[in-house]
Amino acid sequence: MSGLENVFVADRNLSATHAAQASARVAGPCFAMGEAAGVAAAMAVRENVASRDVPVDELQCVLERQGAILTPAL
Ligand SMILES: Cc1cc2nc3c(=O)[nH]c(=O)nc-3n(C[C@H](O)[C@H](O)[C@H](O)COP(=O)(O)OP(=O)(O)OC[C@H]3O[C@@H](n4cnc5c(N)ncnc54)[C@H](O)[C@@H]3O)c2cc1C
């Protein structure tokens, strides 16, 4: 446990390998991470749950309804 509760981290602050950071740090993925962090925070407040208890499957459904692409086209 980090001792840090109810904090959502997005964009360049994500924890990733050097290679993953190199691709995730650009604007597009940062916009997407920012949107996800914002929606997750709103869900946590609305459902009165801690950040770690936000249901990820529900979060993904909301993001997809908003037009987010969560599964890359192969
Ligand atoms: C020179 C340069 C060129 C780039 N060119 C491209 C490009 O062509 N295409 C591309 O996709 N990506 C590019 N990038 C990368 C991309 O812009 C960044 O990786 C992206 O903006 C990171 O988003 P972020 O939200 O992590 O940080 P930022 O966009 O830096 O946003 C952080 C925000 O937090 C604010 N802030 C900082 N401290 C505090 C505080 N204490 N309290 C309140 N607010 C605070 C800052 O003012 C800033 O507005 C470039 C980056 C740089 C530096």
Side-chain angles (χ1 to χ4, degrees), residues 10 12 14-15 27-28 35 54 56 59-60 63 65:
R12 281 181 298 168
L14 86 157
S15 172
E35 179 185 6
V54 170
V56 173
L59 171 61
Q60 291 171 333
L63 290 169
R65 273 202 306 274

Side-chain angles (χ1 to χ4, degrees), residues 9-20:
V9 175
D11 308 355
R12 281 181 298 168
N13 302 307
L14 86 157
S15 172
T17 63
H18 181 73

Side-chain angles (χ1 to χ4, degrees), residues 1-69:
M1 288 276 279
S2 70
L4 199 58
E5 291 294 328
N6 294 326
V7 173
F8 291 99
V9 175
D11 308 355
R12 281 181 298 168
N13 302 307
L14 86 157
S15 172
T17 63
H18 181 73
Q21 175 78 343
S23 357
R25 69 166 193 82
V26 294
C30 288
F31 297 158
M33 284 186 271
E35 179 185 6
V39 172
M43 287 174 69
V45 171
R46 195 185 55 233
E47 297 169 19
N48 195 22
V49 296
S51 58
R52 66 180 64 249
D53 298 325
V54 170
V56 173
D57 52 345
E58 281 179 41
L59 171 61
Q60 291 171 333
C61 287
V62 173
L63 290 169
E64 285 183 326
R65 273 202 306 274
Q66 294 182 177
I69 300 165

